Amino acid sequence: MSKKKLITIIGARPQIIKASAISRAIDLFFKDQINEIIVHTGQHYDQNMSQIFFEELGIPNPIYNINVGSGRHGQQTAKMIDGIEEILLKENPDAVILYGDTNSTIAGALAASKIHIPVVHIEAGLRSYNKKMPEEINRISCDHMSTLLFSPTQQGIQNLMKEGFDIDNNGKASMDSPHMYHCGDIMLDNSIYFGSKKDASEIMKTLDLEENKFILCTIHRDSNTDQEENLVGILNALLNCLTETQLKLVLPLHPRTKGKIEKLNDQELVKRIMENANIHILPPAGFKDIIELEKNARLIITDSGGLQKEAYFFKKPCVILREQTEWVEIVQNGNAILTGADHEKIKEAIERLLSKDDFSYPNLFGDGKAGSFICSKILSDL
């Protein structure tokens, strides 16, 4: 039997990490049945935002790099569609694997579906029910162009059913008759795998941090970085937290976010953040470093979808700097609180989570074997 040729399309840093779970499953269990070709759109093009992850996670280097770079949504997506379509016509794969909800995701879905190449969407069914978020538009559109949909949660399956998807997976999958599965979360696969490795990160030692004596915070979403009032509210809440708790703060900053902070009108606030001895400002951290920080933090504050889940994986409370989240289960279970950028809401959420001692962590995200399950269903259903 000939191998199935799969093209994996990645572009943003989280997608590179997610792709490692599938590449690892292929290498361990399906190398005689699947040939994977990786295409990098170049959506994240900085060394710290991209190449470092291929190196430290052992992911095969991309065969193609479209090098799209930054740009307006329409401009960036259009370049990706053009570049991806050219590669698909040349390679003629059996399917295209897409992750999540970025511009790389929607570009891959459009390019593949219009030339009748099946789309496999990993992280299907997630909904924030806020279409002002470009990610929501991307994830909904990709789902409706997909042939195989893999949801990390049962809630994702319920969301798809509400939109008309059929749970019946009989027959061969197609875009008109897609198959959907609750597979668990591939990031749990990665967190278990890399969290248990002996060649762990040295970042705790490098930063002289103690377990449960610091807060990990990331800020990157446009709604928080591009509106000065919101960014100022978040930063003031962080400073207040340090004063009240005596904890340290680890703040890995996307270059764009760091630039936005440095240009704030309130330069006294900038100085209090940038020169604070209890704040460790870092460039974007590698995945092993992030895992190590998550495992040892007292609290996680973030607007990242990925870190919300990983906080749950490592049994850490989480303040979510957004008005809605696609990971509704962790909020409903009391492990996380939505605050947006509101200073008072952030302050109250931090106080509540740090004083709470009755957390529970039911198995919401699978068994850590999602990658193998996905590969097996690609082979059986296409």
Side-chain angles (χ1 to χ4, degrees):
M1 186 177 72
S2 61
K3 287 186 178 182
K4 281 202 180 297
K5 182 191 287 188
L6 304 180
I7 284 188
T8 293
I9 294 176
I10 54 179
R13 183 171 71 152
Q15 292 170 326
I16 300 169
I17 300 168
K18 292 166 190 173
S20 72
I22 298 298
S23 295
R24 188 167 61 250
I26 291 171
D27 184 58
L28 290 174
F29 307 113
F30 301 97
K31 64 172 59 176
D32 294 332
Q33 298 165 277
I34 295 174
N35 176 31
E36 182 188 30
I37 295 172
I38 295 179
V39 174
H40 195 330
T41 65
Q43 184 174 337
H44 279 175
Y45 48 89
D46 180 86
Q47 168 75 10
N48 287 331
M49 299 297 288
S50 182
Q51 184 58 38
I52 187 173
F53 286 88
F54 289 98
E55 295 166 0
E56 74 171 5
L57 301 184
I59 308 169
N61 279 317
I63 302 299
Y64 299 97
N65 194 321
I66 299 173
N67 293 310
V68 68
S70 60
R72 301 186 311 274
H73 282 285
Q75 181 185 53
Q76 188 183 64
T77 306
K79 288 180 181 177
M80 290 180 189
I81 293 171
D82 184 43
I84 292 168
E85 182 184 57
E86 184 176 341
I87 293 166
L88 296 182
L89 290 171
K90 176 184 176 182
E91 293 289 348
N92 190 29
D94 294 290
V96 168
I97 298 178
L98 303 171
Y99 296 88
D101 51 26
T102 70
N103 286 343
S104 298
T105 310
I106 188 63
L110 284 164
S113 63
K114 290 198 172 190
I115 55 175
H116 313 300
I117 294 172
V119 169
V120 176
H121 189 201
I122 297 173
E123 289 190 327
L126 303 181
R127 300 291 183 266
S128 66
Y129 293 101
N130 177 8
K131 290 181 181 174
K132 290 182 180 179
M133 294 173 62
E135 295 89 348
E136 185 80 350
I137 300 296
N138 291 344
R139 63 173 73 106
I140 292 171
S141 301
C142 183
D143 281 343
H144 286 265
M145 289 183 273
S146 295
T147 292
L148 291 179
L149 300 100
F150 293 98
S151 175
T153 63
Q154 189 58 48
Q155 182 62 53
I157 295 293
Q158 296 300 318
N159 293 340
L160 290 170
M161 291 174 68
K162 283 196 293 186
E163 293 174 14
F165 286 86
D166 191 345
I167 193 67
D168 183 3
N169 291 333
N170 292 331
K172 187 176 180 180
S174 70
M175 186 160 53
D176 288 325
S177 183
H179 291 185
M180 62 179 182
Y181 294 98
H182 175 206
C183 64
D185 198 306
I186 55 170
M187 284 305 293
L188 180 58
D189 295 23
N190 283 333
S191 294
I192 292 171
Y193 179 77
F194 290 106
S196 64
K197 288 183 75 67
K198 293 181 179 178
D199 60 337
S201 160
E202 294 290 318
I203 196 163
M204 291 287 293
K205 185 186 297 184
T206 301
L207 298 180
D208 193 25
L209 295 170
E210 296 179 60
E211 183 180 359
N212 289 324
K213 295 292 181 67
F214 68 94
I215 292 169
L216 173 63
C217 177
T218 70
I219 313 162
H220 79 278
R221 209 162 279 275
D222 291 357
S223 58
N224 288 329
T225 61
D226 292 6
Q227 298 181 44
E228 182 156 328
E229 180 182 359
N230 289 350
L231 188 53
V232 166
I234 292 168
L235 295 177
N236 276 319
L238 293 176
L239 287 171
N240 177 80
C241 173
L242 296 189
T243 301
E244 295 292 326
T245 66
Q246 301 302 305
L247 295 170
K248 292 185 177 182
L249 177 70
V250 178
L251 189 61
L253 289 180
H254 186 294
R256 185 172 171 278
T257 304
K258 188 171 185 288
K260 292 287 185 180
I261 292 174
E262 291 171 343
K263 293 176 183 177
L264 289 172
N265 289 319
D266 187 348
Q267 283 295 302
E268 180 59 33
L269 173 61
V270 175
K271 185 175 180 181
R272 289 171 64 202
I273 291 289
M274 295 297 182
E275 298 180 6
N276 194 313
N278 290 318
I279 299 178
H280 295 283
I281 295 177
L282 315 175
F287 184 62
K288 291 181 181 178
D289 285 345
I290 281 289
I291 287 287
E292 192 70 9
L293 292 169
E294 289 167 346
K295 285 168 58 178
N296 290 285
R298 177 71 180 84
L299 174 74
I300 293 173
I301 302 174
T302 188
D303 57 12
S304 159
L307 261 69
Q308 293 172 43
K309 285 185 303 177
E310 288 155 28
Y312 187 89
F313 298 162
F314 294 114
K315 299 184 178 181
K316 303 294 180 178
C318 183
V319 176
I320 303 174
L321 303 173
R322 288 163 53 177
E323 302 290 344
Q324 301 91 10
T325 179
E326 57 273 29
W327 306 107
V328 294
E329 298 89 346
I330 63 175
V331 175
Q332 292 169 349
N333 198 56
N335 308 91
I337 298 175
L338 290 161
T339 64
D342 186 282
H343 177 277
E344 286 302 315
K345 288 183 179 179
I346 298 170
K347 178 182 174 182
E348 291 170 9
I350 291 170
E351 291 173 355
R352 195 186 322 168
L353 291 172
L354 288 179
S355 63
K356 182 178 168 70
D357 59 7
D358 60 345
F359 291 103
S360 66
Y361 294 88
N363 182 13
L364 300 175
F365 297 100
D367 59 4
K369 299 177 182 178
S372 296
F373 179 88
I374 290 167
C375 290
S376 69
K377 290 302 179 185
I378 290 172
L379 290 170
S380 66
D381 289 19
L382 293 181

